[in-house]
């Protein structure tokens, strides 16, 4: 068995830092619609999401195994490559957070890891068939499936309650949203927290501390769950605004339909070991909820910008991960240089975000912040 090195500790800390960014980047997935409709206050929403993300991390480890023993050859992966891949994922998460774009933290992680391993160990170390089957195909199919399911669910919700007094129906759906949003948060924990578990497990395997094919130890599950829960509680308010107010007009029946549809897709994928993007699933379900209500406005300009970010995520994170792997491969100096650049870039993004802050007090205000609603067109049944 190997021994614990300083580099291995650095990689684990960086992995948990990514998990933290994943948490605040993806808080919108579970709580944006509930915050937008007033079913939950912003602070209560992120607190509930944080707790349930932590609980969800303990429900399954199938996705973690997909990462630690699937998309790359763990026998050819080094701690330096994993570190570089995490840096690529973190920087892309921060860029899209600053722009208020709900891109995929999952695909940022996969892209960063694939780019770093490609540069560090060659193309043979990347399992292309696994990448296609468990990442690319779900990335294309999952938001479409979620959109269609949410569109039908929204249509049925309005048809079933059309003879019910408007205020009474809205109150009922808002109450239901508390449960449905909680289920999304729980499902998010079962899928996204596992990705960091998989990366840390891969690191331990590459360092000789675990046998190839091993699942994540209990302390890895706990630390990953805590990191994503803390990030969730911090609240990615810029992205919450985009998903709750920027993409379409959300009423309580739509929010309930979107959340239950997203939960079904995410939990099914977690059971099958598909490491899909919960962001794409939840965005697709919100879009479907907009299309399912007559006269609802779908802002296709915002949807287009989100789609572009989805397309760019995997290659952009891979490019940064590849460059970081090349630099970090030059010994301790290279690792220190990559770490220093990453910290400086993260600090710069934070400073830029303070120029137009979005927080719990103004997250539902569509007149300020990033991005502004644009490209409005009517959509619905």
């Amino acid at each position: 068995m190997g021994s614990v090195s300083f580099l291995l500790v650095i990689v684990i800390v960086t992995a948990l830092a990514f998990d933290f960014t994943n948490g605040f980047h993806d808080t919108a997935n579970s709580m944006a619609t509930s915050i937008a409709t007033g079913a939950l206050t912003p602070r209560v929403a992120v607190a509930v999401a944080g707790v349930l993300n932590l609980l969800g991390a303990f429900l399954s480890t199938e996705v973690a195994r997909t990462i630690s023993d699937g998309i790359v050859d763990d026998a050819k992966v080094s701690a330096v490559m994993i570190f570089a891949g995490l840096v690529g994922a973190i920087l892309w998460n921060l860029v899209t957070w600053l722009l208020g774009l709900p891109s995929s933290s999952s695909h940022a992680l996969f892209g960063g890891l694939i780019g770093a391993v490609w540069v560090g160990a060659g193309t043979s170390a990347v399992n292309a068939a696994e990448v296609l089957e468990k990442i690319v195909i779900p990335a294309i199919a999952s938001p479409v499936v979620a959109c269609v399911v949410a569109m039908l669910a929204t249509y049925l919700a309005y048809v079933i309650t059309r003879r019910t007094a408007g205020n009474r129906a809205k109150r009922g759906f808002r109450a239901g949203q508390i449960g449905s949003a909680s289920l999304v948060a729980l499902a998010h924990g079962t899928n996204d927290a596992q990705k960091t578990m998989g990366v840390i497990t891969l690191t331990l395997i590459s360092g000789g501390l675990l046998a190839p094919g091993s699942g994540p130890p209990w302390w890895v599950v706990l630390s990953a769950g805590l990191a994503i829960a803390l990030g969730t509680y911090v609240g990615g308010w810029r992205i919450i605004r985009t998903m709750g107010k920027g993409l379409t007009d959300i009423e309580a029946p739509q929010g309930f339909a979107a959340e239950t549809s997203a939960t079904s897709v995410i939990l099914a994928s977690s059971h099958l070991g598909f490491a899909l993007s919960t962001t794409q699933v939840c965005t697709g379900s919100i879009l479907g909820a907009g299309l399912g209500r007559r006269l609802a406005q779908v802002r296709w300009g915002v949807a287009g910008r989100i789609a572009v970010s989805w397309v760019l995520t995997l290659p952009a994170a891979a490019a940064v991960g590849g460059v970081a792997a090349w630099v970090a491969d030059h010994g301790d100096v290279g690792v220190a240089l990559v770490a220093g650049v990453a910290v400086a870039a993260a600090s710069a993004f934070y400073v830029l975000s303070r120029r137009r802050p979005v927080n719990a007090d103004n997250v539902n205000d569509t007149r300020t912040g990033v991005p502004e609603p644009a490209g409005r067109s009517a959509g619905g049944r």
Side-chain angles (χ1 to χ4, degrees):
M1 298 293 285
S3 59
V4 178
S5 65
F6 178 72
L7 177 59
L8 188 143
V9 172
I10 291 296
V11 174
I12 292 175
V13 171
T14 306
L16 293 176
F18 164 77
D19 209 21
F20 178 82
T21 68
N22 190 352
F24 74 71
H25 198 281
D26 290 2
T27 307
N29 294 349
S30 55
M31 293 299 170
T33 54
S34 293
I35 292 172
T37 63
L40 290 169
T41 62
R43 288 296 183 190
V44 170
V46 296
V48 170
V51 171
L52 292 173
N53 267 312
L54 175 59
L55 294 177
F58 289 89
L59 295 183
S60 171
T61 58
E62 290 302 315
V63 174
R65 288 181 178 272
T66 295
I67 296 170
S68 63
D69 187 29
I71 64 174
V72 294
D73 185 348
D74 55 32
K76 297 180 180 180
V77 174
S78 69
V80 169
M81 298 175 202
I82 298 172
F83 168 70
L86 287 166
V87 168
I90 290 171
L91 292 181
W92 183 254
N93 268 358
L94 293 176
V95 168
T96 49
W97 161 75
L98 181 66
L99 297 174
L101 294 172
S103 71
S104 171
S105 296
S106 306
H107 292 168
L109 175 60
F110 299 142
L113 187 60
I114 289 169
V117 172
W118 191 308
V119 170
T123 57
S124 63
V126 178
N127 298 328
E130 288 288 318
V131 172
L132 179 64
E133 177 186 351
K134 293 195 173 181
I135 297 176
V136 176
I137 292 177
I140 296 172
S142 60
V144 175
V145 171
C147 180
V148 172
V149 172
M151 181 173 64
L152 294 175
T154 300
Y155 176 84
L156 289 174
Y158 279 102
V159 168
I160 293 171
T161 60
R162 61 187 173 186
R163 298 185 184 279
T164 305
N167 290 335
R168 182 180 177 186
K170 287 182 178 179
R171 285 195 301 270
F173 278 115
R174 283 180 180 174
Q177 273 194 277
I178 297 174
S180 60
S182 298
L183 285 175
V184 177
L186 188 68
H188 182 264
T190 67
N191 200 284
D192 276 44
Q194 290 187 59
K195 291 156 191 171
T196 299
M197 296 178 208
V199 169
I200 296 176
T201 302
L202 182 60
T203 304
L204 296 173
I205 291 172
S206 68
L209 296 172
L210 287 177
S214 297
W218 70 267
W219 65 267
V220 172
V221 177
L222 177 61
S223 59
L226 287 172
I228 199 170
L230 181 59
T232 300
Y233 180 71
V234 169
W237 304 112
R238 307 173 85 82
I239 299 175
I240 289 174
R241 169 179 289 174
T242 299
M243 292 183 70
K245 291 293 185 180
L247 187 59
T248 187
D249 298 321
I250 291 290
E251 293 183 349
Q254 294 168 280
F256 179 78
E259 289 159 359
T260 51
S261 301
T263 300
S264 301
V265 175
I266 294 169
L267 288 178
S269 70
S270 295
H271 177 71
L272 295 172
F274 291 136
L276 54 69
S277 165
T278 55
T279 299
Q280 291 183 352
V281 171
C282 293
T283 305
S285 67
I286 291 173
L287 180 61
L291 293 172
R293 178 170 72 88
R294 183 167 55 90
L295 302 180
Q297 290 183 320
V298 175
R299 301 180 181 95
W300 293 107
V302 175
R305 290 197 292 274
I306 292 172
V308 169
S309 75
W310 289 358
V311 172
L312 293 177
T313 294
L314 203 68
V320 176
V323 171
W326 182 82
V327 175
D329 196 42
H330 290 75
D332 292 342
V333 174
V335 172
L337 180 60
V338 171
V341 170
V343 171
S347 301
F349 293 141
Y350 176 77
V351 171
L352 288 173
S353 74
R354 304 316 299 163
R355 297 174 62 181
R356 299 182 70 180
V358 181
N359 51 46
D361 297 323
N362 67 359
V363 67
N364 278 337
D365 186 354
T366 59
R367 293 172 296 175
T368 61
V370 181
E372 297 290 348
R376 296 189 177 193
S377 63
R381 58 181 174 88

